[in-house]
Amino acid sequence: ERLAYVQLAGDVIISGALVHMTGGPDSVFTFLFSLSIINGAILLFRVGALTVATFCSAAFLAIVAHEAGWIVLPGRDTQGPVAQLYYVTFIHLATFYLVAILASYLAEQLRRAGRELDQKTVDIAELRVLNDNIVNSLASGLITVDDSGCIMSYNDGAERISGYPPSKVLGRSLSEVFPEVFDLLTFDSALDGLPRRLETVFTRWDHARIIVEYSVSQLMNARGEVFGKVLHFEDATQIRALESAVKRHERLAAVGQLASSIAHEIRNPLASISGSMEM
């Protein structure tokens, strides 16, 4: 900030010297004062613009005083009283402060917009980090593909289930990495906007075969246009093994219940026969 004030003071001094050497209040270079004021608004906003406007006013008053013969400045002789000197002075000073007010207003608007943009950038970055944390914390796999079937994103759950590292997956076609899944998908407009639940056998990176249950839904942008698909899948191998075990236990329980019923039915006549034999 201190260096900015030094720079602006140097600009005002140079502008004042140029105006003084080229005709004083009638110089065509008086617009340089306005440029210095605008520069002050850009660097230091409202305070800088008003401060530079005050410096420019003081420099212009010194030039006018030299023209009127009240003070003597080096570099150029006095021309004597200038016609309408007070009017010209008032116009220039008013112009300086009007430029300062307008430039400071625009600079403050620019600074406010910059702050809002910075805040939006921070919010977007935090939202992106939150979204990444949520997606990567899922135990299930989540893959997004574009219309051509190229993989755009790939979460940690998908890496744990498939065994494929992201470097082997991102940017490649789904048909190369997950051919079993790709064969069941239709990359056209046949989804009708509804997710579909499917199941297939998948070969992992270590060549182990697992049962994968997955669903496919459309991927849309902020304008509601479909530009890809979302593939959400889970490792259902253990679930299917548990279901098979439950079914096996149910069958064994049914066999046991049937054997118990048969034994009961056999025991009844045996009791009658035993009683008859005893009698």
Side-chain angles (χ1 to χ4, degrees):
E1 184 176 354
R2 185 179 304 172
L3 181 61
Y5 277 113
V6 172
Q7 174 186 338
L8 294 171
D11 292 343
V12 173
I13 292 173
I14 294 174
S15 300
L18 185 59
V19 170
H20 171 65
M21 297 297 296
T22 57
D26 297 330
S27 174
V28 296
F29 293 104
T30 53
F31 71 90
L32 295 177
F33 288 125
S34 298
L35 294 181
S36 299
I37 296 172
I38 295 174
N39 192 24
I42 293 174
L43 295 179
L44 301 171
F45 304 101
R46 180 178 290 110
V47 175
L50 295 177
T51 302
V52 176
T54 302
F55 288 164
C56 292
S57 299
F60 191 79
L61 287 175
I63 294 173
V64 170
H66 174 78
E67 293 295 326
W70 298 336
I71 62 174
V72 177
L73 296 177
R76 191 171 64 88
D77 295 335
T78 290
Q79 295 180 353
V82 181
Q84 300 180 342
L85 185 61
Y86 294 106
Y87 174 75
V88 172
T89 303
F90 173 77
I91 290 297
H92 280 82
L93 297 185
T95 300
F96 294 159
Y97 281 100
L98 287 176
V99 170
I101 294 172
L102 179 59
S104 62
Y105 172 77
L106 295 178
E108 291 295 334
Q109 292 292 107
L110 180 62
R111 179 165 65 171
R112 187 178 298 111
R115 289 175 177 174
E116 293 178 357
L117 180 60
D118 292 340
Q119 184 62 40
K120 294 295 183 183
T121 303
V122 173
D123 293 341
I124 291 175
E126 292 179 351
L127 183 61
R128 181 174 299 172
V129 171
L130 177 62
N131 178 73
D132 292 341
N133 289 335
I134 293 174
V135 170
N136 289 325
S137 65
L138 295 175
S140 56
L142 192 67
I143 298 176
T144 58
V145 296
D146 57 16
D147 288 332
S148 62
C150 184
I151 298 175
M152 297 186 297
S153 65
Y154 183 80
N155 73 337
D156 294 343
E159 181 180 0
R160 288 192 298 269
I161 295 173
S162 66
Y164 286 91
S167 59
K168 301 292 185 180
V169 172
L170 294 177
R172 296 179 60 186
S173 174
L174 189 66
S175 60
E176 300 177 6
V177 185
F178 305 103
E180 298 90 349
V181 177
F182 184 81
D183 292 339
L184 298 178
L185 295 181
T186 54
F187 287 90
D188 50 20
S189 58
L191 283 178
D192 297 330
L194 299 176
R196 298 185 295 177
R197 198 74 180 177
L198 304 170
E199 185 176 304
T200 186
V201 177
F202 173 73
T203 304
R204 286 171 44 90
W205 175 263
D206 54 4
H207 303 293
R209 296 179 67 82
I210 61 174
I211 300 175
V212 174
E213 188 180 45
Y214 63 96
S215 62
V216 182
S217 57
Q218 292 179 339
L219 182 63
M220 292 183 288
N221 56 21
R223 297 183 296 274
E225 300 172 350
V226 178
F227 69 96
K229 291 178 175 60
V230 179
L231 177 65
H232 178 260
F233 60 96
E234 299 175 351
D235 184 0
T237 305
Q238 295 182 354
I239 297 176
R240 295 296 176 266
L242 291 175
E243 290 178 353
S244 299
V246 170
K247 291 179 180 179
R248 184 171 61 254
H249 292 161
E250 290 177 351
R251 289 195 299 268
L252 292 176
V255 171
Q257 185 177 2
L258 178 61
S260 176
S261 300
I262 293 174
H264 178 72
E265 294 299 330
I266 293 176
R267 187 173 60 248
N268 288 337
L270 288 178
S272 301
I273 294 173
S274 176
S276 298
M277 292 178 66
E278 291 175 356
M279 290 179 65

